[in-house]
């Protein structure tokens, strides 16, 4: 992408296009939905908390549709996917961060289950209906993660909430790269793109149920950029004609924590094609969503 300061004003006319934004009831998802709808798009707000999503939809108006989606429950993911006729861009935005150990409806560790496996299943179930691209939100904290293929769901290891979060965000990034490799092999025109918001002030940091909630509330005031700025890399990935499949976009500032979107790097682990292929196979087995790229 050119070395310019890309902003929401550069989203361009999205009239006639449909976007799904998971977790669009608050934070980055809310900003993303509002921006896309303001550019003329039809936006499906796919949210666990429908009551909060309805508030955002009311602000948007006729261009918004609210649908219930709980990524921590594969039955909900399937029901949502069955309700969608077609979509130009799927934005896998929803997520949880640094929670105490708990499990999804299907028995997965909550962070890998929601952030990765839920979105993996959603993408697979919607794949034949996606016309343009899949955008998956990761994090700079993917660097703190490792994929444990023998204990993805923390059934045998001592649980560490931050390592679990890092694993889930690394999985998001590896899924993006592996999806693009499979799209290329299939000759598909669909693009798989990753993005991260840097350090953006959102409600995500207020739900760790630990002292980190207080610490990060201070960081939000002193260090973080706004949710509006944090949403830009994802918006670029979702709308820019020159957003490249298999690439990662984030803020350009120091440490990729703040600033306008640019192409950014990722760890050596995120580019391990062998682990990525095995993670894909494991994700298929755990979710039951298989063979969606032919």
């Amino acid at each position: 992408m050119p070395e310019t300061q890309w902003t929401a004003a550069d989203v361009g006319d999205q009239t006639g296009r449909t976007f799904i934004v998971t977790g669009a009831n608050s934070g980055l998802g809310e900003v993303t939905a509002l921006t896309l709808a303001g550019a003329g798009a039809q936006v499906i707000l796919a949210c666990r908390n429908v009551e909060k999503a309805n508030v955002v939809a009311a602000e948007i108006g006729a261009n918004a549709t609210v649908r219930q989606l709980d990524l921590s429950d594969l039955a909900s993911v399937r029901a949502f996917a069955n309700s969608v006729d077609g979509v130009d861009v799927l934005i896998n935005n929803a997520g949880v961060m640094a929670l105490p150990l708990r499990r999804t409806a299907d028995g997965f560790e909550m962070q890998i289950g929601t952030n990765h496996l839920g979105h993996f299943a959603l993408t697979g179930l919607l794949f034949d209906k996606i016309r343009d691209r899949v955008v998956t939100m990761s994090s700079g904290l993917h660097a703190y993660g490792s994929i444990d293929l023998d204990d993805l769901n923390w059934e045998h290891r001592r649980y560490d909430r931050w390592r679990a979060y890092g694993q889930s965000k690394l999985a998001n990034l590896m899924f993006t790269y592996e999806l693009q490799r499979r799209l290329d092999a299939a000759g598909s025109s669909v693009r798989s793109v990753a993005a991260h918001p840097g350090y953006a002030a959102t409600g995500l940091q207020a739900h760790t149920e630990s002292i980190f909630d207080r610490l990060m509330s201070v960081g939000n005031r002193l260090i973080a950029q706004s949710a509006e700025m944090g949403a830009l890399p994802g918006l670029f990935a979702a709308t820019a004609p020159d957003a490249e499949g298999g690439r990662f976009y984030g803020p350009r500032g120091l440490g990729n924590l703040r600033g306008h979107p640019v192409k950014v790097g990722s760890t050596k682990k995120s580019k391990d094609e062998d682990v990525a292929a095995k993670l894909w196979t494991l994700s298929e087995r755990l979710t039951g969503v298989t063979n969606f790229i032919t």
Side-chain angles (χ1 to χ4, degrees):
M1 61 185 289
E3 291 296 315
T4 57
Q5 291 195 343
W6 195 92
T7 72
D10 297 305
V11 165
D13 185 11
Q14 301 297 314
T15 302
R17 285 163 60 79
T18 300
F19 293 74
I20 293 172
V21 183
T22 67
N25 56 281
S26 64
L28 301 175
E30 177 182 358
V31 172
T32 298
L34 288 166
T35 303
L36 292 169
Q42 293 292 320
V43 183
I44 298 173
L45 285 67
C47 303
R48 182 179 59 83
N49 191 322
V50 172
E51 184 177 347
K52 289 185 176 180
N54 283 331
V55 174
V56 179
E59 184 175 352
I60 291 173
N63 283 20
T65 302
V66 173
R67 302 254 176 90
Q68 206 277 336
L69 170 64
D70 184 349
L71 289 159
S72 69
D73 184 343
L74 291 177
S76 175
V77 175
R78 290 182 181 277
F80 172 84
N82 288 335
S83 76
V84 175
D85 294 324
V87 60
D88 292 283
V89 181
L90 168 63
I91 303 179
N92 291 323
N93 164 79
V96 293
M97 183 174 76
L99 297 176
L101 178 61
R102 58 184 56 140
R103 302 207 174 271
T104 70
D106 303 281
F108 309 139
E109 184 273 319
M110 185 63 73
Q111 295 188 84
I112 197 74
T114 301
N115 298 352
H116 168 62
L117 292 170
H119 281 129
F120 177 92
L122 178 64
T123 303
L125 292 167
L126 287 174
F127 184 74
D128 289 340
K129 305 173 185 180
I130 298 171
R131 294 182 283 267
D132 184 10
R133 64 188 88 173
V134 177
V135 175
T136 302
M137 299 303 295
S138 181
S139 166
L141 288 177
H142 80 274
Y144 191 56
S146 295
I147 303 297
D148 189 328
L149 294 167
D150 295 321
D151 192 23
L152 193 72
N153 284 300
W154 296 84
E155 294 167 316
H156 307 295
R157 292 176 284 169
R158 181 177 180 179
Y159 185 70
D160 182 308
R161 67 176 74 204
W162 285 104
R163 287 175 60 210
Y165 180 69
Q167 177 182 246
S168 74
K169 292 289 101 179
L170 177 58
N172 286 148
L173 196 50
M174 297 182 82
F175 168 62
T176 297
Y177 295 161
E178 179 66 13
L179 176 57
Q180 187 61 52
R181 285 189 287 269
R182 292 174 184 240
L183 290 167
D184 289 342
S188 174
S189 62
V190 173
R191 279 176 275 181
S192 172
V193 192
H196 80 88
Y199 187 177
T202 70
L204 183 66
Q205 296 99 337
H207 297 286
T208 70
E209 301 176 30
S210 72
I211 193 173
F212 289 106
D213 289 351
R214 296 181 184 177
L215 294 174
M216 287 187 288
S217 71
V218 174
N220 281 358
R221 293 193 297 272
L222 299 180
I223 303 170
Q225 62 181 354
S226 67
E228 286 73 20
M229 284 296 295
L232 290 181
L235 284 165
F236 179 89
T239 65
D242 54 342
E244 301 174 41
R247 299 295 185 181
F248 191 25
Y249 294 91
R252 73 164 57 183
L254 182 65
N256 300 130
L257 293 176
R258 301 170 58 91
H260 295 268
V262 293
K263 195 183 301 180
V264 297
S266 62
T267 62
K268 182 177 179 180
K269 282 188 288 189
S270 74
K271 299 171 184 176
D272 188 323
E273 295 186 19
D274 180 63
V275 172
K278 290 176 180 176
L279 175 63
W280 185 286
T281 299
L282 177 59
S283 300
E284 287 186 324
R285 180 171 65 79
L286 291 172
T287 64
V289 178
T290 62
N291 300 321
F292 57 84
I293 301 178
T294 56

